[in-house]
Amino acid sequence: MWLVQDWYVLSKTLAEKAAWDFVKEKGLDMVVINPSGVIGPTLQASELGINKYILGLLNGEYLQILIA
């Protein structure tokens, strides 16, 4: 049973595992690029990851970082 906190991480992990299984079965090569941040609408109600950080920047929550 999965206890899901972050649907993006789960979907990315499951999709990548399926892709690796597929290429192994077919004898193919594969390259995976993992983005450092994904910006855009989320499927869950709460803001997570980079979206939460960017929202905090826009709301002035990280002002000390910008001034330093």
Side-chain angles (χ1 to χ4, degrees), residues 11 24 32 44-45 48 56 58 60:
S11 65
K24 183 178 179 182
V32 176
Q44 60 265 32
L48 300 171
L58 295 173

Side-chain angles (χ1 to χ4, degrees), residues 15 24 30-31 50 58 61:
K24 183 178 179 182
M30 183 173 84
V31 174
I50 193 71
L58 295 173
E61 294 172 21

Side-chain angles (χ1 to χ4, degrees), residues 9 13 15 17-19 25 30-31 38 40 44 47 49 59 62 67:
V9 172
T13 302
K17 183 182 180 327
E25 178 185 315
M30 183 173 84
V31 174
V38 177
Q44 60 265 32
E47 293 295 332
N59 288 330
Y62 302 107
I67 293 173

Side-chain angles (χ1 to χ4, degrees), residues 16-30:
E16 187 174 322
K17 183 182 180 327
W20 281 114
D21 291 344
F22 177 81
V23 298
K24 183 178 179 182
E25 178 185 315
K26 301 295 182 182
L28 301 170
D29 292 326
M30 183 173 84

Side-chain angles (χ1 to χ4, degrees), residues 1-67:
M1 183 170 89
W2 290 89
L3 177 58
V4 177
Q5 296 287 328
D6 189 337
W7 291 105
Y8 173 76
V9 172
L10 176 60
S11 65
K12 175 81 173 139
T13 302
L14 293 177
E16 187 174 322
K17 183 182 180 327
W20 281 114
D21 291 344
F22 177 81
V23 298
K24 183 178 179 182
E25 178 185 315
K26 301 295 182 182
L28 301 170
D29 292 326
M30 183 173 84
V31 174
V32 176
I33 300 173
N34 293 309
S36 59
V38 177
I39 301 171
T42 59
L43 297 177
Q44 60 265 32
S46 62
E47 293 295 332
L48 300 171
I50 193 71
N51 287 345
K52 184 176 181 179
Y53 179 73
I54 290 174
L55 188 59
L57 282 173
L58 295 173
N59 288 330
E61 294 172 21
Y62 302 107
L63 192 54
Q64 69 278 6
I65 295 171
L66 298 175
I67 293 173

